[in-house]
Amino acid sequence: MERHKPAQEIIDRIRANYIFSEMTDAELQQCLAHLDVAAYAPGEIIFRQGTQATRFYIVCEGVVQLFRTSPMGDKKVIEIVKTGNSFAEAVFFMGGNYPVHAMAVDRVKLAGIAFQDFNGCLANNIGLAFRMMGGMSRRIHGLVNEIDRLTMGTACQRLAFYLLEEARAERHGNASTIQLDAPKHVIASRIGVKPETLSRILSRLKDEGIVEESGHTLTVLDIEKLGAFSMEGYKNC
Amino acid sequence: MERHKPAQEIIDRIRANYIFSEMTDAELQQCLAHLDVAAYAPGEIIFRQGTQATRFYIVCEGVVQLFRTSPMGDKKVIEIVKTGNSFAEAVFFMGGNYPVHAMAVDRVKLAGIAFQDFNGCLANNIGLAFRMMGGMSRRIHGLVNEIDRLTMGTACQRLAFYLLEEARAERHGNASTIQLDAPKHVIASRIGVKPETLSRILSRLKDEGIVEESGHTLTVLDIEKLGAFSMEGYKNC
DNA sequence: GCACATCATTGACTTGGATCAATGACGGGC
DNA sequence: GCCCGTCATTGATCCAAGTCAATGATGTGC
């Protein structure tokens, strides 16, 4: 393990993490008073399960593995932490010793933030606590959204769902018109497919008489049927 | 919109949400003093962008859409909130008016928590704030992990990565032996593929001389090469 | 030992979507 | 007007995995 001076690049990494993103510069400074930047070799242990927790970490480079060992010695990997993410901060909030071992998987550079500094910054600053919770809350929403996007059925279902969202604005009976605000390749990436694929799906929907298109206006002819399509993607609710 | 008495089922939903999961019963009671349970019809507006924020919500049934309208009247969907999740709680933490419209997509049942109650519970209770941050922090880790699992490259890369985790325990030089603790179909589901697929990948690795298998013992012959495989799944760092 | 159930392997086939490549339709600057 | 760049469509092909189905290995109990 070698120690380093905190470079600007390190500070940027820290700022980018959700824990610090809502802090003022002054608050950040206070938290980093005893900042510890160090590099670890592959396989090197960062901290051991059961030892007293004094810092949490942000991974500036490399990959870290968190794992537990049972009394019988078998090992269970709990989490893999990659560049940009933090670990052991929950230990700060909840108290107690480190509940896992942390080990460098490859060559790793870590920023270690002292609990003491962090606590000094946060303990009498309920305003900051609220801001941080706001930030975390948004982060959670963003992540949940992303998971939805990744797991929601086929490309066709995702498109159907997307169109229904848009269609809801102005519908008349079982039909609705949609103004396509963005170029198609943007819409494609929004639903997570390649433009070619979007094009194909759309022409399939046209063939089936579910939508019609002229210029930048898209007409949904049968909202019912479109809904049936998309809802198959929501079986897991 | 129709109002309801909070049933036990509603309370359970609320408890299950990350915002309330770390609270004691007493704290929860305090937050729910002015709990408002209501059902909305499809298309009904729950609150409007720019209006004063007084409550945040947990979706007990159905799907809610959050969207913004620009001055020119075009609509942009920000988020889809499904059963069990909350919305507008970030507004509480960060302050300000509702930054979006909220609309029921289908028939929706909501639990509305008054900012006033929530603030009363949290403002002078830094201990609770810390517990909540701990809970959120864990939630974030869980979600990040899940996204990793969903996006980490091909089945082959995932297997390679899984084996490397196991192999690290006892390695000698560039080789290592692994005791297969679980039947293969369990391992398969752990890395998110069908047993057949696992079998095929494994025999490919055997063909390439990277691993060897006898009984329930798996020998990795070339950790280097296996690592090269798996790291391709980490290009997006 | 035999019978039965679980586990594992292997092959043939299907499918959703990405990729590559060619061509057509606008639209805007000058 | 013409030319060029972005956008869109379409076809051909490829690929990773899932599915279905058949067959081989392992037990484990009795």
Side-chain angles (χ1 to χ4, degrees):
Chain A
M1 184 173 66
E2 320 149 17
R3 306 215 167 274
H4 293 263
K5 269 262 170 58
Q8 184 56 40
E9 168 214 346
I10 304 285
I11 305 291
D12 291 345
R13 279 268 181 236
I14 296 175
R15 245 266 127 78
N17 187 277
Y18 76 96
I19 300 170
F20 297 98
S21 62
E22 308 297 327
M23 288 190 177
T24 63
D25 284 340
E27 286 162 346
L28 185 64
Q29 282 309 316
Q30 195 182 345
C31 290
L32 304 187
H34 300 94
L35 177 66
D36 176 44
V37 178
Y40 295 79
E44 198 171 351
I45 296 292
I46 298 152
F47 55 72
R48 287 186 188 282
Q49 176 178 345
T51 57
Q52 197 196 352
T54 57
R55 311 186 101 90
F56 68 88
Y57 296 88
I58 292 179
V59 182
C60 301
E61 243 179 78
V63 176
V64 169
Q65 185 183 82
L66 308 181
F67 62 99
R68 305 178 63 98
T69 44
S70 78
M72 290 109 75
D74 38 322
K75 171 185 165 186
K76 177 158 170 40
V77 176
I78 304 293
E79 195 176 340
I80 301 293
V81 186
K82 294 194 268 183
T83 305
N85 292 315
S86 50
F87 61 97
E89 79 275 20
V91 183
F92 168 79
F93 290 120
M94 310 296 270
N97 295 335
Y98 289 123
V100 294
H101 302 283
M103 186 184 70
V105 169
D106 48 7
R107 184 167 173 75
V108 163
K109 192 183 281 185
L110 295 181
I113 291 95
F115 281 4
Q116 191 193 332
D117 294 340
F118 196 61
N119 193 56
C121 182
L122 200 52
N124 296 307
N125 192 343
I126 192 86
L128 172 58
F130 272 42
R131 265 178 285 143
M132 282 180 54
M133 286 193 266
M136 292 192 199
S137 157
R138 280 202 300 242
R139 182 99 214 276
I140 290 173
H141 280 260
L143 292 169
V144 168
N145 260 349
E146 190 165 342
I147 290 180
D148 275 6
R149 257 204 30 241
L150 289 168
T151 56
M152 197 176 55
T154 64
C156 181
Q157 288 161 355
R158 292 200 298 273
L159 175 64
F161 191 81
Y162 175 84
L163 290 181
L164 286 170
E165 283 172 11
E166 300 296 306
R168 196 166 292 278
E170 47 178 307
R171 66 181 282 181
H172 356 82
N174 199 25
S176 177
T177 56
I178 300 171
Q179 288 303 320
L180 263 33
D181 52 324
K184 289 229 178 84
H185 63 93
V186 173
I187 296 176
S189 91
R190 215 177 283 172
I191 64 172
V193 295
K194 298 281 138 181
E196 295 96 316
T197 306
L198 172 60
S199 183
R200 283 183 239 275
I201 298 174
L202 215 44
S203 45
R204 231 174 61 213
L205 290 181
K206 278 184 242 167
D207 285 355
E208 302 195 21
I210 297 177
V211 303
E212 230 167 34
E213 196 185 10
S214 74
H216 278 195
T217 307
L218 208 148
T219 313
V220 180
L221 301 171
D222 192 341
I223 293 186
E224 288 281 312
K225 212 184 282 180
L226 197 61
F229 259 112
S230 92
M231 276 309 139
E232 285 170 44
Y234 273 105
K235 284 282 166 58
N236 53 338
C237 276
Chain B
M1 182 174 67
E2 320 149 16
R3 305 215 169 275
H4 294 262
K5 269 260 170 60
Q8 185 56 40
E9 168 214 345
I10 303 285
I11 304 291
D12 291 345
R13 279 265 182 237
I14 295 174
R15 245 265 127 78
N17 187 276
Y18 75 95
I19 300 170
F20 297 98
S21 62
E22 308 297 328
M23 287 191 178
T24 64
D25 284 341
E27 287 162 345
L28 184 63
Q29 283 309 316
Q30 194 183 345
C31 289
L32 304 187
H34 301 93
L35 177 66
D36 175 46
V37 178
Y40 295 78
E44 200 173 348
I45 296 292
I46 297 152
F47 55 71
R48 289 186 186 281
Q49 176 179 343
T51 57
Q52 199 197 350
T54 58
R55 311 187 102 90
F56 68 88
Y57 297 87
I58 291 178
V59 182
C60 300
E61 244 179 76
V63 176
V64 170
Q65 184 184 85
L66 308 181
F67 61 99
R68 304 178 63 98
T69 44
S70 77
M72 290 109 75
D74 37 322
K75 173 185 165 186
K76 176 156 171 41
V77 176
I78 304 294
E79 196 176 342
I80 302 292
V81 186
K82 295 194 265 184
T83 305
N85 292 316
S86 50
F87 60 96
E89 79 275 21
V91 183
F92 168 79
F93 291 119
M94 310 296 271
N97 295 333
Y98 289 124
V100 294
H101 301 283
M103 186 183 70
V105 168
D106 48 7
R107 185 167 173 76
V108 163
K109 192 184 280 186
L110 295 181
I113 290 96
F115 280 4
Q116 191 193 332
D117 294 340
F118 196 61
N119 192 56
C121 182
L122 199 52
N124 296 307
N125 192 343
I126 193 87
L128 172 57
F130 272 41
R131 264 179 284 143
M132 283 181 54
M133 286 192 266
M136 292 191 198
S137 157
R138 280 203 298 242
R139 182 98 215 275
I140 289 174
H141 280 260
L143 292 170
V144 168
N145 260 351
E146 190 167 341
I147 290 181
D148 275 5
R149 259 204 28 244
L150 290 168
T151 57
M152 199 177 54
T154 64
C156 179
Q157 288 160 358
R158 291 199 299 273
L159 175 63
F161 193 81
Y162 175 84
L163 290 181
L164 286 171
E165 284 172 12
E166 300 298 306
R168 195 166 292 278
E170 47 177 310
R171 65 181 285 179
H172 356 83
N174 199 26
S176 177
T177 56
I178 301 170
Q179 288 303 321
L180 264 32
D181 52 324
K184 289 229 178 82
H185 67 262
V186 173
I187 296 176
S189 92
R190 216 176 281 172
I191 63 171
V193 297
K194 298 281 138 184
E196 295 97 319
T197 306
L198 172 60
S199 183
R200 284 183 238 275
I201 296 174
L202 216 43
S203 44
R204 232 175 60 212
L205 289 180
K206 278 183 240 164
D207 285 354
E208 303 195 19
I210 297 177
V211 303
E212 229 167 33
E213 197 185 9
S214 75
H216 277 196
T217 308
L218 208 147
T219 313
V220 180
L221 301 172
D222 191 343
I223 293 187
E224 288 279 313
K225 214 186 277 183
L226 197 60
F229 258 111
S230 93
M231 276 307 141
E232 284 170 44
Y234 274 106
K235 283 282 167 56
N236 55 340
C237 279

